[in-house]
Amino acid sequence: MAKRKQQRDAAADPYREREQSKYDNPVPSREFLMEVIADQARPLTRDQLARTLELEDPDALEGLRRRLIAMERDGQVIRNRRGGYVLVDNEELLRGRVVGHQDGYGQLAPDVGGQRIYISPRDMRMVLHGDRAVVRVTGVNHEGEPAGLLVEVIERANKTVVGRYFEESGIGFVVPSNRRIHQDVIVPAGEQHNASNGELVVAQINQQPTMRRQPIGEVIQVLGEHIQPGTEIETAQLIYGIPVEWPDAVMKELERIPDQVPEADKQGRKDLRKMPLVTIDGADARDFDDAVYAEPKPSGWRLVVAIADVSHYVRPGTALDREARRRGNSVYFPRNVVPMLPEKLSNGLCSLNPEVDRLCMVCDMLVTGGGEIRRSSFYRAVMRSHARMLYDEVAGILVDGDRDLRARYETLVPQLENLHGVYQSLRKARNRRGAIDFETTETQILFDDDGLIRSIEPVERNDAHRLIEECMLAANQATARYLQKQKLPALFRNHEGPDEDRLDNLNRFLAETGLRLGGGDDPQPGDFAKLLRSVQNRPDRHLIQTVMLRSLKQAVYHPVNSGHFGLAMNEYAHFTSPIRRYPDLLVHRGIGHVLDGGKGSNFPIGQDELLSLGEHFSMTERRADEATRDAEAILKCQYIRDKVGEEYNGTVTGVTGFGLFVELDDLYVDGLVHVTQLENDFFRFDPIGHHLTGERTGKVYRLTDRVRVRIARVDPDERKVDLAMLGSLDANGELEAPLDGDAGKQGKGGRKRPGKGGADKQRKGRRSRKEKA
């Protein structure tokens, strides 16, 4: 075997051009340093690295020192006891984010794909949920999952926690409301600051946990004994650490941004102000990212998707950019929004409001009659939205033929009909690809003047919703292809198919129902879609759909494209919502870099930084989902706490070893029927079949079963709705034989109500699907 070359010329750094554009005295890039360490196949000290790279200049040596410190801080390398740098994200060392579990153990979600790594309760004593850490893979645990030892904590995620303050034997502590944080925060004497026993408080963590002690902190805010109506959103923000206040530096930068688009900013852009672009959104939308236009062509359609040019206003390195990056995305609570960008931009200068000039980035596509994107181009433009339209209005024009609406929007009707034609073509391609369409019902919460829930209503999706969704998906797909063609470092929106374990569980479940998923060990989206179509007339179709949906992984942001399984696309990226998603803003900057004559090799953000950013934005997206679910849960508990004792029909939406989760008809609220509230029997849980089976009675409760329950207890502080099982419903919606004992009796102060909805109704509250993928 040839001897490995020891010297590497720093000039051979493939990212040298990028580094030279950023620094007066460039040092080897992070990527090149990692390549050198990997090439040497052994730990290297800083001196050894300097000799290997033939660095002798004092400035270069100092730059190397600082870069290695930064790489160590970011978890790219760690130092062993001899001072040698070792690569992370190899076969043994992995970095990622800690996911806590209330049972005391945890998992590391690696930055670089792969399966989560089990972290023992002993090692979890040193970290909290959300921390970033490096773990050494050591083998497998008792359930056969990869297991590891905690090597280093590289970032602390929790500066404050929300929980209840208690005192026992003279010792104060806060029990976190976030169940994933399983360690109590010790509060030394005198640091409780007027908090009383049992009150909800905000605690600041002054000392993070170690192997020998729990986190130590102080109470900085007392929230009271209970979560008061109107404070549920603030509470959720505090629990999940969502940034709300704007730093002073951001507000100062905003003062320098004009209220209107200056004429100078419009120069050098394509003028689309006469093109009848329109925005189509829901009635409650306040920021408008996208506008659309279509016209017929001999080979199909020209589709123009114009997106707010946020990158023109939010520049790298500014306080505004740093804060937007920290937030990652806007968070849409039931009654308000925590925006990624200040309202001056999100609802003002960047929003594509009607009849005003706005700067935009355009994806201009030629779509064939069969729905394929034949070609696309990107350019900067200035536009003027010709109308702010609602989904229901567009559907009324296109589907219902509403004469009044067609008269009101007479000049735009031909353009809307063109858009409908594009949608029909794109829909054909979607079906041909085998994209997976799961049937779900979204809900919206309606409030009264006091901020309390008046009702929870289903949202009916129509062709206007689907039209915009398909236009956005097409633009995102064209964007991903452009990024790859230009070899631009960027974040893709990846959605992987089921892994081996999930696929095995799904196939075992399907075998019990007499079904089989095509594709063998490597099923494709079309196999899922085909199976879904084949069960449309089966009474258990919702059960099958739910289990199939749960077999798929969550979509994530990653710098290496691996396609989108659910959409059956080989490449996919987020481009269409830079007002509310930072990954889209990064993509816009990449496109602008090329439009300005740049190349992928000198784009200022490298692959490894994108890897960390992708993990961060995937985390902020999950954080937003958890926070909004939490706020909704509190609101829904407050909504039904005066309904204790009432009876409802419902659908089983979850089956666990400790009971059933049931969604109540008309209320769209989930509650728990504890296993002790079922028949006088011992129930065994089958995680593969998603059912509980009574040993004595043989009674089976499955996912999507229809049941009748009584609301037994509601606790908004704990987000709990306890239900008592009254019995199963037959195919006609009638109560079968009641349970043993007092089943079917009316609770104190309650009344019987006939539940609505048949066995074919499955309702799930979800955010808008405009760009759900």
Side-chain angles (χ1 to χ4, degrees):
M1 183 180 292
K3 185 178 179 180
R4 185 182 299 272
K5 183 180 179 181
Q6 296 299 309
Q7 257 66 42
R8 294 289 299 272
D9 187 352
D13 185 350
Y15 297 96
R16 184 174 178 80
E17 183 180 352
R18 183 191 73 201
E19 298 298 315
Q20 286 177 325
S21 67
K22 293 169 63 176
Y23 305 106
D24 293 334
N25 297 303
V27 295
S29 67
R30 295 186 181 206
E31 294 92 338
F32 189 59
L33 288 174
M34 291 190 290
E35 180 184 318
V36 170
I37 296 173
D39 188 51
Q40 295 292 318
R42 62 189 175 96
L44 294 177
T45 65
R46 187 170 75 240
D47 289 342
Q48 289 172 329
L49 271 170
R51 286 196 298 270
T52 301
L53 295 169
E54 299 180 336
L55 298 178
E56 298 178 353
D57 181 77
D59 288 339
L61 293 173
E62 175 62 14
L64 177 64
R65 184 186 73 84
R66 293 185 180 185
R67 173 140 293 176
L68 288 171
I69 290 173
M71 292 174 68
E72 190 174 5
R73 178 198 65 213
D74 293 341
Q76 294 173 297
V77 295
I78 61 172
R79 272 189 298 175
N80 62 20
R81 294 181 180 179
R82 296 183 178 181
Y85 287 92
V86 181
L87 286 181
V88 177
D89 293 338
N90 56 23
E91 293 183 357
E92 293 185 358
L93 292 174
L94 292 174
R95 61 175 168 159
R97 193 166 295 276
V98 174
V99 179
H101 292 262
Q102 59 182 357
D103 292 337
Y105 71 93
Q107 293 176 313
L108 184 88
D111 290 349
V112 184
Q115 192 172 352
R116 289 187 173 185
I117 310 301
Y118 173 84
I119 304 174
S120 70
R122 180 178 183 275
D123 273 6
M124 283 296 295
R125 289 160 57 182
M126 296 182 283
V127 291
L128 298 176
H129 170 71
D131 289 349
R132 285 178 53 76
V134 175
V135 164
R136 184 185 301 279
V137 180
T138 57
V140 296
N141 64 7
H142 61 284
E143 295 185 356
E145 301 170 330
L149 292 174
L150 191 68
V151 174
E152 187 175 347
V153 181
I154 55 180
E155 182 185 330
R156 295 290 187 175
N158 303 277
K159 294 180 175 61
T160 60
V161 298
V162 175
R164 292 203 175 271
Y165 175 78
F166 296 100
E167 288 184 6
E168 291 183 5
S169 303
I171 299 175
F173 57 94
V174 174
V175 179
S177 297
N178 187 341
R179 301 297 178 83
R180 292 186 181 276
I181 300 178
H182 62 273
Q183 297 194 57
D184 298 341
V185 179
I186 303 300
V187 179
E191 301 293 341
Q192 71 273 26
H193 299 164
N194 300 320
S196 299
N197 200 51
E199 283 191 310
L200 197 65
V201 302
V202 181
Q204 176 178 287
I205 298 179
N206 296 327
Q207 297 181 49
Q208 294 287 342
T210 68
M211 179 62 76
R212 294 178 178 81
R213 62 160 173 77
Q214 295 169 247
I216 298 175
E218 62 179 305
V219 174
I220 59 173
Q221 185 179 352
V222 178
L223 301 176
E225 291 187 7
H226 302 288
I227 298 173
Q228 300 300 320
T231 65
E232 65 285 332
I233 292 173
E234 176 189 357
T235 303
Q237 291 167 346
L238 289 169
I239 290 173
Y240 295 96
I242 293 173
V244 177
E245 300 297 328
W246 296 105
D248 291 340
V250 171
M251 302 310 294
K252 289 180 181 178
E253 288 182 358
L254 281 178
E255 294 175 359
R256 298 192 291 270
I257 297 177
D259 294 325
Q260 303 296 330
V261 180
E263 286 301 317
D265 290 356
K266 303 174 188 177
Q267 304 305 311
R269 291 171 173 265
K270 192 167 184 176
D271 192 342
L272 299 183
R273 282 175 287 190
K274 293 184 179 179
M275 179 181 285
L277 287 153
V278 296
T279 62
I280 304 174
D281 291 275
D284 56 350
R286 296 175 62 191
D287 51 29
F288 310 116
D289 297 279
D290 53 86
V292 289
Y293 166 81
E295 63 183 56
K297 291 291 181 180
S299 57
W301 305 93
R302 179 192 181 193
L303 172 62
V304 177
V305 176
I307 306 298
D309 191 357
V310 176
S311 63
H312 180 81
Y313 301 101
V314 182
R315 299 299 177 96
T318 61
L320 185 57
D321 181 59
R322 288 192 296 271
E323 183 63 17
R325 180 182 291 205
R326 184 167 77 102
R327 297 183 177 214
N329 48 258
S330 298
V331 185
Y332 291 84
F333 286 102
R335 286 189 299 135
N336 65 14
V337 178
V338 179
M340 185 183 80
L341 300 174
E343 286 193 14
K344 182 174 183 177
L345 293 178
S346 61
N347 296 345
L349 199 56
C350 290
S351 184
L352 304 182
N353 300 326
E355 302 303 333
V356 292
D357 289 356
R358 288 290 183 258
L359 306 183
C360 59
M361 182 76 78
V362 175
C363 177
D364 198 330
M365 294 165 279
L366 177 62
V367 180
T368 69
E372 300 296 332
I373 302 173
R374 178 67 54 82
R375 61 175 180 267
S376 62
S377 61
F378 291 82
Y379 50 85
R380 296 186 179 100
V382 56
M383 62 160 286
R384 178 178 283 249
S385 172
H386 284 228
R388 178 263 200 269
M389 302 194 70
L390 305 181
Y391 289 124
D392 290 346
E393 291 177 333
V394 174
I397 291 171
L398 297 176
V399 180
D400 303 330
D402 187 298
R403 291 184 179 180
D404 292 339
L405 286 171
R406 292 179 75 89
R408 187 194 313 173
Y409 294 105
E410 181 180 5
T411 59
L412 294 175
V413 167
Q415 133 82 340
L416 295 175
E417 290 176 338
N418 290 339
L419 283 168
H420 200 227
V422 174
Y423 155 68
Q424 292 170 326
S425 294
L426 291 171
R427 193 72 189 181
K428 290 178 188 175
R430 181 190 186 97
N431 295 335
R432 192 166 57 250
R433 288 196 314 268
I436 307 172
D437 277 327
F438 291 109
E439 294 179 14
T440 59
T441 300
E442 300 169 8
T443 60
Q444 62 177 342
I445 299 176
L446 304 179
F447 294 90
D448 61 21
D449 294 337
D450 296 324
L452 300 178
I453 295 180
R454 183 176 75 244
S455 63
I456 302 174
E457 305 290 343
V459 177
E460 298 295 332
R461 277 170 52 80
N462 54 45
D463 266 15
H465 291 87
R466 300 183 187 97
L467 181 157
I468 289 298
E469 182 180 335
E470 289 299 331
C471 290
M472 298 304 109
L473 294 178
N476 287 336
Q477 183 182 33
T479 298
R481 291 176 178 174
Y482 183 84
L483 295 173
Q484 289 189 299
K485 180 181 178 180
Q486 300 295 335
K487 298 181 180 179
L488 265 169
L491 286 178
F492 294 89
R493 180 67 166 177
N494 292 341
H495 181 230
E496 297 181 0
D499 57 29
E500 185 176 345
D501 289 340
R502 294 188 187 207
L503 182 59
D504 182 55
N505 290 339
L506 175 60
N507 283 328
R508 287 164 63 187
F509 164 78
L510 292 173
E512 291 183 4
T513 63
L515 297 169
R516 188 176 71 86
L517 177 67
D521 294 335
D522 187 26
Q524 299 303 304
D527 298 311
F528 278 74
K530 183 178 180 181
L531 181 57
L532 282 173
R533 288 194 299 270
S534 71
V535 301
Q536 287 307 300
N537 296 322
R538 287 179 55 134
D540 59 351
R541 64 187 180 279
H542 286 306
L543 168 61
I544 296 166
Q545 172 184 277
T546 301
V547 176
M548 291 176 67
L549 177 61
R550 294 181 181 181
S551 74
L552 301 178
K553 296 181 181 180
Q554 190 174 25
V556 297
Y557 293 106
H558 199 277
V560 178
N561 173 60
S562 62
H564 198 294
F565 188 84
L567 296 173
M569 291 182 177
N570 294 326
E571 57 280 302
Y572 192 69
H574 273 167
F575 163 77
T576 53
S577 296
I579 289 178
R580 60 186 179 89
R581 288 191 309 228
Y582 196 95
D584 302 54
L585 174 56
L586 278 180
V587 166
H588 278 233
R589 285 179 181 159
I591 295 172
H593 178 75
V594 174
L595 295 179
D596 291 336
K599 297 179 294 185
S601 60
N602 58 16
F603 187 60
I605 300 179
Q607 193 84 344
D608 203 78
E609 184 179 356
L610 283 171
L611 191 65
S612 296
L613 287 173
E615 194 282 331
H616 171 69
F617 299 136
S618 297
M619 180 278 294
T620 61
E621 180 184 40
R622 292 191 297 269
R623 179 180 68 184
D625 287 342
E626 290 177 357
T628 52
R629 278 197 300 266
D630 197 43
E632 286 182 5
I634 299 171
L635 282 164
K636 288 180 177 180
C637 285
Q638 293 169 347
Y639 173 51
I640 67 167
R641 61 183 169 184
D642 63 345
K643 296 177 172 57
V644 172
E646 296 185 6
E647 298 174 9
Y648 291 88
N649 291 353
T651 302
V652 177
T653 58
V655 183
T656 71
F658 53 83
L660 308 170
F661 287 95
V662 177
E663 186 183 75
L664 306 179
D665 287 0
D666 304 324
L667 297 180
Y668 302 96
V669 174
D670 283 294
L672 173 67
V673 180
H674 196 270
V675 70
T676 57
Q677 292 293 316
L678 300 177
E679 284 92 339
N680 185 20
D681 199 350
F682 179 78
F683 280 84
R684 292 193 177 277
F685 172 52
D686 180 354
I688 304 300
H690 298 271
H691 57 71
L692 287 170
T693 305
E695 284 194 348
R696 179 177 59 85
T697 61
K699 174 64 179 176
V700 178
Y701 288 101
R702 293 180 179 273
L703 206 62
T704 73
D705 275 358
R706 298 283 297 161
V707 295
R708 189 166 183 81
V709 295
R710 182 194 310 122
I711 300 177
R713 176 176 172 269
V714 178
D715 186 343
D717 290 346
E718 296 296 322
R719 293 80 160 160
K720 285 184 178 179
V721 177
D722 293 331
L723 305 174
M725 178 64 72
L726 302 181
S728 298
L729 301 178
D730 61 22
N732 297 318
E734 299 296 327
L735 184 65
E736 295 177 349
L739 304 190
D740 297 339
D742 67 347
K745 293 182 181 178
Q746 202 168 314
K748 183 178 178 180
R751 66 183 187 276
K752 290 189 176 182
R753 292 177 42 160
K756 295 181 181 180
D760 63 337
K761 289 192 177 180
Q762 183 186 16
R763 294 153 168 160
K764 288 183 179 292
R766 293 289 186 268
R767 66 187 178 194
S768 169
R769 284 179 52 179
K770 183 174 181 180
E771 274 192 89
K772 185 178 176 183

